[in-house]
């Protein structure tokens, strides 16, 4: 059993920044690609970004140039640096071990003035 715990969400003004973290409970973290997803009220969960075991990254068009995904395998932790935040980025953000049913509990990000 792997537990994923997200942190770092909160309320921020448009144009602001937040950094989300996702810590895994086991060292198998390094064996998996990892992804950040988000779900806004009334909408389906969508992929925001993912990072492979080798560090290659991919982003949704809506966040390219603003968000950066990274991982620290020594700390079993993945990050999402979010800059130039917009109100439409408001959602619950989840992390996932790609290809598995392991999800975090989610962390709320609210972008509002």
């Amino acid at each position: 059993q792997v537990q994923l715990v997200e942190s770092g969400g909160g309320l921020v003004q448009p144009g602001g920044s937040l950094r989300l973290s996702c810590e895994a409970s086991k060292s198998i973290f390094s064996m998996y690609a990892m992804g950040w997803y988000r779900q806004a009220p009334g909408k389906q969960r969508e992929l925001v970004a993912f990072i492979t075991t080798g560090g290659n990254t991919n982003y949704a068009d809506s966040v390219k140039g603003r968000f950066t995904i990274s991982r620290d395998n020594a700390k079993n932790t993945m990050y999402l640096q979010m800059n130039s935040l917009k109100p439409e980025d408001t959602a619950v953000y989840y992390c996932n071990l790609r290809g598995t049913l392991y999800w975090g509990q989610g962390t709320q990000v609210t972008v509002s003035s």
Side-chain angles (χ1 to χ4, degrees):
Q1 188 79 3
V2 178
Q3 289 187 323
L4 303 175
V5 179
E6 301 102 334
S7 61
L11 173 63
V12 64
Q13 292 187 342
S17 297
L18 284 174
R19 188 175 83 152
L20 306 183
S21 299
C22 171
E23 184 173 359
S25 60
K26 293 188 175 181
S27 61
I28 62 171
F29 171 88
S30 64
M31 299 170 59
Y32 288 87
M34 298 288 296
W36 283 104
Y37 293 73
R38 67 186 180 186
Q39 188 167 17
K43 295 188 176 181
Q44 289 189 332
R45 191 172 296 190
E46 63 175 355
L47 177 65
V48 175
F50 71 83
I51 184 166
T52 68
T53 55
N56 294 317
T57 59
N58 188 276
Y59 298 91
D61 288 343
S62 59
V63 306
K64 279 181 182 176
R66 300 188 298 122
F67 290 11
T68 302
I69 189 172
S70 61
R71 64 191 297 163
D72 184 338
N73 290 337
K75 296 182 178 180
N76 295 338
T77 302
M78 174 179 66
Y79 304 97
L80 186 68
Q81 177 66 43
M82 306 187 295
N83 298 328
S84 302
L85 282 161
K86 304 175 181 180
E88 50 263 44
D89 295 318
T90 295
V92 179
Y93 285 70
Y94 300 90
C95 63
N96 167 251
L97 263 66
R98 298 271 287 175
T100 76
L101 296 178
Y102 293 119
W103 292 85
Q105 82 288 351
T107 186
Q108 176 70 47
V109 172
T110 302
V111 184
S112 175
S113 55

